[in-house]
Amino acid sequence: MFHDFHLKKYMRSIDYNIYLVIFVFIGLLCLFFTHSLTNALPYIIGSAMFLYGPFHIVIGRVERVHYDMGRCLLFMILGGMILFQGNNALGVMGTIWALISLNNIAEDFNDMYPHDFSFIECVEIIISTVLALMLLWEPYHHFIFHVRVLGVEMIINALLRYKHNKRSG
């Protein structure tokens, strides 16, 4: 399975403090400007998905590493469709978000399965699955709620990463 190793590699190269500021800032935007952000998301997400394909193709060819041409084309097509539909694409975006979340949950579970995993990891998988299924069940209705949950998640992620780096560094 193709993973976003190119994007993750570039994200790791970002200065730690910049990472924290970006994640907390985006998290706060998700929490306090939910409706405005939701109206802009089809254009932000559509553009990002549309550019995902060429980015991975170019990086894959330059670095002579494997890239998934089918996934690149799929993201370009979906991104173009979302851009074209604008705010009418929120239901489709919610469905895509739910399916990507469920796929990530399955991959996380597969990574943990042969090993012992903690109660917290089990709770995280259960909560993530319930949230993804809610979004899949009624993508448009639950979209704004999920934007807020994303904001909280981004802030918590930044704070946990800060705590971890402070302990290890």
Side-chain angles (χ1 to χ4, degrees):
M1 172 129 226
F2 175 77
H3 296 281
D4 293 325
F5 60 92
H6 302 300
L7 192 57
K8 287 178 184 174
K9 181 175 122 180
Y10 290 104
M11 287 296 291
R12 273 184 246 141
S13 70
I14 294 175
D15 181 73
Y16 171 73
N17 293 323
I18 294 172
Y19 170 88
L20 284 178
V21 169
I22 289 171
F23 264 57
V24 169
F25 179 73
I26 293 172
L28 291 172
L29 283 177
C30 290
L31 286 174
F32 296 111
F33 300 99
T34 308
H35 293 283
S36 299
L37 184 61
T38 299
N39 289 331
L41 273 178
Y43 306 102
I44 296 168
I45 300 295
S47 299
M49 288 178 76
F50 188 78
L51 295 173
Y52 172 96
F55 174 79
H56 280 277
I57 292 170
V58 168
I59 297 300
R61 288 182 181 247
V62 167
E63 294 186 2
R64 299 187 193 285
V65 294
H66 172 74
Y67 59 93
D68 187 340
M69 178 65 82
R71 182 175 293 225
C72 292
L73 293 174
L74 174 67
F75 271 72
M76 289 173 61
I77 291 166
L78 290 173
M81 188 272 312
I82 289 170
L83 283 170
F84 181 73
Q85 289 289 315
N87 285 333
N88 294 329
L90 287 179
V92 171
M93 289 172 54
T95 302
I96 292 169
W97 188 355
L99 293 173
I100 289 172
S101 295
L102 289 170
N103 185 59
N104 290 341
I105 292 164
E107 287 178 6
D108 289 346
F109 185 79
N110 284 338
D111 290 343
M112 292 186 306
Y113 178 68
H115 311 288
D116 292 333
F117 43 97
S118 71
F119 175 75
I120 297 293
E121 290 171 324
C122 290
V123 169
E124 182 182 353
I125 285 178
I126 291 168
I127 291 172
S128 297
T129 302
V130 168
L131 290 172
L133 291 175
M134 286 172 52
L135 191 55
L136 190 58
W137 189 261
E138 291 189 62
Y140 187 79
H141 178 70
H142 290 286
F143 198 88
I144 290 176
F145 170 74
H146 274 72
V147 170
R148 287 189 178 116
V149 169
L150 178 65
V152 170
E153 183 181 7
M154 292 184 83
I155 292 169
I156 290 172
N157 184 312
L159 295 175
L160 290 175
R161 194 161 175 179
Y162 173 76
K163 183 179 175 182
H164 174 73
N165 277 9
K166 194 171 183 180
R167 246 186 304 154
S168 63

